[in-house]
Amino acid sequence: MTTPSAEANLEQLDDEQRAVATALTGPVVVLAGAGTGKTRAITHRIAHAVAIGEHEARRSLAVTFTARAAGEMRSRLRTLGVTDVAVRTFHSAALRQLRYFWPRISSDPFPELLPSKIRLIGEAAASCGVSVSAPVLRDLSADIEWAKVSQLAPADILMGAHMARRDWSIEVRDVSRVYAAYDDLLTRRGRLDFEDVLLVTVGALQSRPDIADEVRKAYRWFTVDEFQDVNPLQHRLLDLWRGDRDDVCVVGDVSQTIFSFTGATSAYLLDFPKAFPGATEVRLINCYRCSGPIVDLANSVVAQAPTKATLRLRAVADQGATPTVEAFTDDVNEAEQVAARVRGYLDRGVAARDIAVLFRINAQSAELESALSARGIPVVMRGTERFFDRPEIREAITRLRGAARAGEATGPIGEEVRSVLRAAGWSEELPRGGGAVRERWESLSALVSLADEHAGLDVAALIAELDHRSETQHAPTADAVTLASLHSAKGLEWDTVFIIGCSERLLPYVQGSSSEPLDVDEERRLFYVGITRAKRHLHVSWARSREPGGRSSRSASRFLVAADPQGLSGSLGATVTRGTRPAMTEQRRKGPAKCRVCGKGLVTAPERTLGRCRTCPSDFSIERWEALNRWRLGQAKDREVPAYLVLTDATLMAIVERGPSTIEELEEIPGVGPAKIEAYGSAVLGILKVT
């Protein structure tokens, strides 16, 4: 690899980014708006400092918050010819140091890391006589995590000032008791949880000057990404790493502070100039990601914030499609219309991986998954487990290594990978249902997509590519539409984004019977983050009621109203859903679809596809099913697509049960749209006629 020269590195930057890259001494704070190229700026800063000898690569530490972000930074530095800089998350950096120094700290073996604290907290709660349900147990776990990153012991949270800082999941005295019992269980069983890794590292650095000195000799220059998400414990660790030195560059955006519930605070970013008088400050406001109209909407939303520290973005690409803001009759109507629009983008050639549907809470995804599946649209849910740590991926790569050693591969790389994965139980057909089976299928399908993208490689070369991606945590993505919560969408971007459920009590989110959200400002920032994930097309929507035929009690989100969307796509107060088919108006007038057996209203998407209640009897013909399924598999093979993209299992089942005899009757079945009718209508009716 040819290492770019120092000057060549700088030529790739705009004036604002160049100001970051050339600010190499003393404290530096970079206020970087969404899509302004902050990662480009700070990686070029590191590379430039190393190239001109201002910094030593081996003594530089860059920290961020996710393995994915760290992998992206490592990859960019590698492209710039820098390979010796340590780029890690706070936790991985602390764990590495803790393992190294452990023999000096304790004579005991290194504690086992606790992968999940839920079960142990459950034991602790039971030992204290505190009875909690599974959902409350998860919230109690979050309470304990918050206390630890806030550096509060069990007794500390009972102090008045701390008690009032959080909406506790249960009585705060019970939280304190369970917290103390949980810590006792950790100690007795020789375990450390995620937060303890930082706490014990901080304790070692504070109590052992020799260890602190050794760490400070190892690292001289620090870069901290996403500084608005730093919590008190991480900030304390950073202070101990740097000692009395001020060679630290922090990067963040107050408007993207969306994890306050975990203990994160933007106060350290806002107060950086006070903590480091004379610090260099650079603002990045040129937005390269989003089109002009999307930037305008983002600016109008963030302008509502009470703080003056928010950045107003400047669109580099002024032109673009105007974001749409639409009201639908109900959540089912909204999901179906979003799915129809996604199908339209796919039919026009947009890749599925370039589309995302975002929502405030995970429960909103159910109707979406059903509606997208009914149209043969592959989806992937954003998860938290690292791609290359998943058991199925480790197994698949092991099998691919075996195939490479055998040297028997002769065909295209995509087919060779498919062959290996089929032996591991993978099928091109999307499995029924969700859960672990679906997640496994999605993971393996991402490997298939990667192989197709690298058609010129052989198996050995593909293994090398996977090894590099594993080192940098650069996971491949399946060619599927992403469904993600607004929180999990942070740090990502797509060509086309749909944000659903933008109504009061969903955005901002209001829990239970409360009248107001816990933190309106944070909810506003969350909406801003969602908007700025979109590069070219943005569609915002909300529904007037929860279920078909329900009372229209919802109203548009206050964030939309304040943003004055009349200039975007019309009045929010319109009583007629814009842009929908006449059939949807008819559906709203008649209410939910009726079961063809018992006449009751159908609520779930699978029931509406089948046209009957799940418990009602059906006219199912195994002969008809097998005939249609054989035809479907043949079509999938001829078209070189998964079988579910021809017709999904639910749609095929509905065809078998309803037995349509005309094109008009076939069109009434959900999942059989105009494109399916044109491609398969006559063939399906022909099979039904002879069976």
Side-chain angles (χ1 to χ4, degrees):
M1 177 187 298
T2 302
T3 303
S5 67
E7 191 56 39
N9 280 342
L10 297 180
E11 289 175 357
Q12 303 174 41
L13 309 178
D14 67 19
D15 291 343
E16 295 172 355
Q17 294 166 346
R18 182 185 285 252
V20 174
T22 54
L24 304 180
T25 58
V28 179
V29 56
V30 182
L31 303 178
T36 57
K38 67 178 179 63
T39 305
R40 168 187 285 263
I42 58 177
T43 51
H44 277 74
R45 177 182 185 271
I46 294 171
H48 183 62
V50 171
I52 66 173
E54 189 69 35
H55 297 180
E56 295 177 44
R58 292 182 181 276
R59 298 186 66 200
S60 297
L61 174 63
V63 289
T64 187
F65 284 81
T66 66
R68 179 187 175 279
E72 172 68 15
M73 195 179 295
R74 277 192 293 268
S75 180
R76 293 199 187 197
L77 286 170
R78 182 170 174 266
T79 301
L80 294 171
V82 179
T83 57
D84 292 336
V85 171
V87 185
R88 302 187 177 96
T89 64
F90 270 103
H91 283 85
S92 65
L95 181 59
R96 188 183 182 93
Q97 292 172 15
L98 192 59
R99 286 188 185 278
Y100 179 80
F101 291 114
W102 187 257
R104 297 195 221 170
I105 300 171
S106 173
S107 58
D108 296 330
F110 191 80
E112 183 179 344
L113 297 180
L114 192 68
S116 172
K117 57 173 64 69
I118 293 291
R119 180 175 296 180
L120 207 60
I121 290 178
E123 286 187 41
S127 71
C128 295
V130 177
S131 178
V132 292
S133 63
V136 174
L137 193 58
R138 289 194 294 270
D139 291 341
L140 179 57
S141 174
D143 287 341
I144 293 174
E145 290 173 6
W146 179 87
K148 286 194 172 190
V149 302
S150 299
Q151 303 176 85
L152 300 175
D156 295 336
I157 65 175
L158 297 177
M159 298 174 62
H162 299 314
M163 288 174 62
R165 287 172 58 193
R166 187 172 179 84
D167 184 20
W168 302 95
S169 58
I170 58 177
E171 167 62 40
V172 67
R173 295 188 182 280
D174 288 336
V175 175
S176 177
R177 291 168 56 217
V178 174
Y179 179 8
Y182 167 69
D183 265 358
D184 183 58
L185 284 174
L186 284 173
T187 301
R188 285 194 281 116
R189 296 184 184 179
R191 301 284 189 93
L192 288 178
D193 67 18
F194 204 54
E195 292 72 38
D196 286 338
V197 171
L198 299 187
L199 281 167
V200 177
T201 305
V202 164
L205 293 171
Q206 287 180 155
S207 62
R208 293 287 298 272
D210 58 321
I211 292 177
D213 287 344
E214 193 166 336
V215 170
R216 290 165 191 164
K217 288 177 182 177
Y219 295 118
R220 178 72 176 82
W221 295 274
F222 299 90
T223 304
V224 187
D225 193 15
E226 304 288 3
F227 199 60
Q228 79 280 348
D229 290 333
V230 165
N231 63 46
L233 182 56
Q234 292 164 333
H235 190 261
R236 179 59 182 151
L237 180 60
L238 176 64
D239 281 348
L240 289 167
W241 280 342
R242 65 177 183 81
D244 58 359
R245 299 165 301 177
D246 63 0
D247 282 306
V248 57
C249 173
V250 301
V251 189
D253 180 9
V254 173
S255 299
Q256 296 188 69
T257 306
I258 60 172
F259 294 107
S260 295
F261 61 93
T262 67
T265 173
S266 60
Y268 300 120
L269 178 64
L270 291 170
D271 294 341
F272 192 86
K274 297 179 183 177
F276 297 93
T280 299
E281 179 180 310
V282 183
R283 298 191 170 210
L284 303 182
I285 61 171
N286 289 325
C287 182
Y288 293 92
R289 176 190 301 151
C290 311
S291 66
I294 294 174
V295 167
D296 290 341
L297 177 59
N299 282 337
S300 68
V301 169
V302 81
Q304 305 164 25
T307 177
K308 296 181 180 180
T310 57
L311 297 174
R312 184 174 181 83
L313 298 177
R314 179 170 56 218
V316 174
D318 291 333
Q319 303 303 312
T322 300
T324 65
V325 181
E326 296 184 272
F328 294 108
T329 56
D330 50 69
D331 288 351
V332 174
N333 183 195
E334 182 179 31
E336 290 177 343
Q337 287 301 301
V338 168
R341 286 180 171 85
V342 170
R343 179 77 267 172
Y345 276 109
L346 298 178
D347 291 344
R348 292 194 296 273
V350 177
R353 70 183 62 188
D354 291 332
I355 303 173
V357 186
L358 309 180
F359 36 80
R360 176 60 180 85
I361 58 175
N362 288 330
Q364 294 173 266
S365 71
E367 291 291 352
L368 277 168
E369 288 187 82
S370 296
L372 291 165
S373 176
R375 287 166 174 78
I377 299 171
V379 301
V380 59
M381 289 287 295
R382 283 286 300 167
T384 57
E385 186 178 23
R386 302 201 321 190
F387 182 84
F388 290 99
D389 289 343
R390 297 173 189 172
E392 64 270 20
I393 295 303
R394 292 200 300 267
E395 178 191 354
I397 293 177
T398 298
R399 288 176 176 268
L400 288 170
R401 289 190 198 280
R405 285 195 297 269
E408 298 173 355
T410 57
I413 184 64
E415 187 51 44
E416 293 299 331
V417 171
R418 285 175 172 84
S419 177
V420 169
L421 297 185
R422 287 190 196 103
W426 175 81
S427 167
E428 294 199 39
E429 185 170 353
L430 181 72
R432 295 186 185 184
V437 173
R438 175 69 170 270
E439 292 173 1
R440 181 179 187 276
W441 182 87
E442 290 168 348
S443 297
L444 296 177
S445 294
L447 282 184
V448 173
S449 296
L450 181 70
D452 288 339
E453 290 172 8
H454 293 76
L457 301 181
D458 58 17
V459 177
L462 180 65
I463 290 294
E465 172 68 17
L466 289 171
D467 286 342
H468 171 63
R469 284 172 176 256
S470 178
E471 290 175 4
T472 61
Q473 285 301 318
H474 182 195
T477 55
D479 191 17
V481 172
T482 300
L483 302 184
S485 69
L486 290 167
H487 281 102
S488 61
K490 178 76 165 60
L492 303 174
E493 60 183 43
W494 295 271
D495 180 87
T496 301
V497 170
F498 295 81
I499 306 178
I500 68 164
C502 296
S503 60
E504 284 291 296
R505 300 190 70 84
L506 276 176
L507 191 70
Y509 182 60
V510 179
Q511 296 185 12
S513 59
S514 301
S515 59
E516 277 294 311
L518 293 176
D519 191 335
V520 174
D521 293 334
E522 181 133 338
E523 294 287 314
R524 182 186 296 108
R525 294 191 293 268
L526 195 57
F527 186 36
Y528 170 82
V529 166
I531 291 170
T532 53
R533 299 312 94 191
K535 294 193 283 189
R536 296 180 58 201
H537 302 285
L538 175 65
H539 304 284
V540 181
S541 61
W542 61 284
R544 299 182 184 281
S545 66
R546 170 68 185 91
E547 297 179 355
R551 186 167 63 90
S552 299
S553 58
R554 291 177 178 167
S555 59
S557 168
R558 68 190 72 180
F559 305 142
L560 283 176
V561 174
D564 187 23
Q566 276 82 354
L568 299 171
S569 57
S571 172
L572 282 173
T575 57
V576 179
T577 299
R578 297 181 300 282
T580 59
R581 300 174 305 207
M584 290 303 169
T585 304
E586 186 71 8
Q587 180 193 43
R588 179 175 63 173
R589 184 174 63 82
K590 291 182 177 180
K594 304 294 184 182
C595 172
R596 54 189 165 83
V597 179
C598 69
K600 292 182 179 179
L602 301 176
V603 177
T604 69
E607 288 179 338
R608 290 191 297 275
T609 299
L610 292 173
R612 63 171 175 84
C613 298
R614 180 178 59 84
T615 55
C616 284
S618 66
D619 298 323
F620 181 77
S621 165
I622 187 64
E623 181 184 0
R624 184 175 286 176
W625 168 268
E626 289 177 347
L628 282 170
N629 196 38
R630 283 195 301 271
W631 164 83
R632 180 176 63 160
L633 292 174
Q635 289 292 317
K637 183 176 181 180
D638 291 343
R639 295 171 182 264
E640 298 183 340
V641 297
Y644 72 88
L645 289 182
V646 178
L647 290 171
T648 66
D649 281 355
T651 301
L652 205 66
M653 180 77 76
I655 293 172
V656 170
E657 290 191 6
R658 298 193 191 190
S661 58
T662 66
I663 290 293
E664 289 73 21
E665 291 176 353
L666 187 59
E667 281 183 314
E668 292 178 0
I669 297 176
V672 185
K676 305 278 189 186
I677 289 291
E678 182 179 351
Y680 312 124
S682 298
V684 169
L685 293 177
I687 294 170
L688 293 174
K689 188 174 182 180
V690 299
T691 55

